[in-house]
DNA sequence: CCCTGATTCGC
DNA sequence: GCGAATCAGG
């Protein structure tokens, strides 16, 4: 498969939507996520540094006498310090108001909403606390019906640790569904626990 | 172990 | 330009 205009377009669209490279690769077919990532980089889509007024200087501009250091086999420490300015917060979607009055409420509301204050100017927004998409909440209710109802001891690295019920009674258990990679919750619960998903551009490497 | 994106480098 | 291999992190 080659990168036709159409395929590139799909790539751009999905990447812009915050889709993962593997998801995009799956959608396109015939390519691996590596291929997608590679393409994304070549297209200059990886970082949101759309510096329109920038035409030269990739990153490290050798002022004058810069030690070339060919270094054919740079195994470790390529050394590429790049200042990463705070990413501007993006607003995924407006979301509705009070989608579910009788939400499950895991007793301690694990909703670590990300502040993300773009050291900028006014900061008037101050959105009204929660803004979870109705679908997400509906999904959660659905998911909790088919929770595996695991006990604390049954939880593993890959089980959703979203608590359900009242810890003070026997009517308490954990979701237990397959958790998302690296996350403590399953997909549905990740959806209500975390809003953003794509602002992870801070690699020190 | 699962996943994510980032980077390198032979082709 | 391409993408597998590898790396780094969650």
């Amino acid at each position: 498969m080659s990168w036709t205009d159409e395929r590139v377009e799909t790539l751009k669209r999905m990447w812009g939507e915050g889709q993962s490279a593997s998801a995009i690769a799956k959608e396109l077919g015939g390519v691996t996520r590596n291929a997608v990532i590679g393409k994304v980089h070549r297209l200059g889509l990886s970082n949101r540094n759309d510096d329109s007024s920038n035409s030269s200087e990739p990153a490290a501009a050798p002022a004058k006498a810069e030690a070339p250091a060919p270094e054919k086999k740079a195994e470790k420490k390529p050394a590429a310090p790049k200042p990463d300015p705070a990413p501007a917060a993006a607003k995924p979607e407006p979301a509705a108001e009070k989608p579910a009055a009788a939400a499950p409420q895991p007793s301690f509301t694990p909703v670590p909403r990300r502040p993300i204050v773009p050291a900028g100017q006014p900061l008037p927004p101050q959105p009204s606390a929660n803004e979870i998409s109705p679908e997400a909440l509906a999904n959660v209710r659905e998911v909790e019906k088919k929770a595996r109802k695991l006990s604390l001891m049954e939880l593993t690295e890959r089980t959703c640790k979203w608590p359900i019920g009242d810890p003070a009674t026997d009517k308490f258990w954990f979701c237990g569904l397959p958790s998302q990679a690296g996350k403590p919750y399953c997909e549905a619960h990740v959806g209500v626990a975390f809003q953003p998903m794509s602002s992870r551009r801070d690699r020190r490497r």
Side-chain angles (χ1 to χ4, degrees):
Chain A
M1 285 299 234
S2 59
W3 287 107
T4 62
D5 282 11
E6 192 174 345
R7 288 164 66 77
V8 171
E9 198 175 320
T10 300
L11 165 61
K12 286 180 177 175
R13 177 177 56 76
M14 292 184 73
W15 185 263
E17 290 172 359
Q19 297 279 353
S20 70
S22 60
I24 297 172
K26 182 185 172 189
E27 173 69 25
L28 291 174
V31 289
T32 64
R33 74 181 193 89
N34 277 318
V36 170
I37 292 172
K39 186 61 179 175
V40 163
H41 280 229
R42 287 190 296 276
L43 287 172
L45 270 45
S46 54
N47 37 240
R48 44 115 101 278
N49 287 17
D50 285 89
D51 201 336
S52 51
S53 63
N54 186 357
S55 31
S56 58
E57 303 199 15
K64 264 187 176 64
E66 178 65 57
E71 208 163 344
K72 279 178 185 253
K73 298 191 186 240
E75 292 299 336
K76 293 178 185 275
K77 281 195 82 19
K82 48 160 51 176
D84 204 309
K91 208 178 187 67
E93 46 190 77
E97 296 272 316
K98 184 173 173 283
Q105 299 257 8
S107 76
F108 61 79
T109 48
V111 185
R113 184 87 324 111
R114 262 275 226 136
I116 300 188
V117 179
Q121 285 91 56
L123 168 52
Q126 195 65 312
S128 55
N130 283 341
E131 33 186 272
I132 303 172
S133 66
E135 316 95 64
L137 265 178
N139 195 8
V140 166
R141 307 208 52 153
E142 195 58 34
V143 166
E144 295 190 351
K145 277 193 274 188
K146 58 182 182 181
R148 291 175 60 200
K149 302 187 178 181
L150 297 183
S151 70
L152 184 59
M153 296 303 290
E154 294 173 310
L155 293 176
T156 74
E157 294 294 325
R158 272 189 289 298
T159 58
C160 178
K161 299 165 189 62
W162 187 277
I164 300 173
D166 189 341
T169 69
D170 289 339
K171 200 163 144 308
F172 178 72
W173 51 77
F174 292 90
C175 175
L177 263 39
S179 67
Q180 209 58 11
K183 270 94 167 204
Y185 310 124
C186 65
E187 187 151 11
H189 286 131
V190 163
V192 295
F194 309 101
Q195 268 300 57
M197 168 266 146
S198 56
S199 57
R200 305 211 263 78
R201 208 88 311 176
D202 47 272
R203 288 299 137 78
R204 189 227 67 215
R205 194 191 322 167

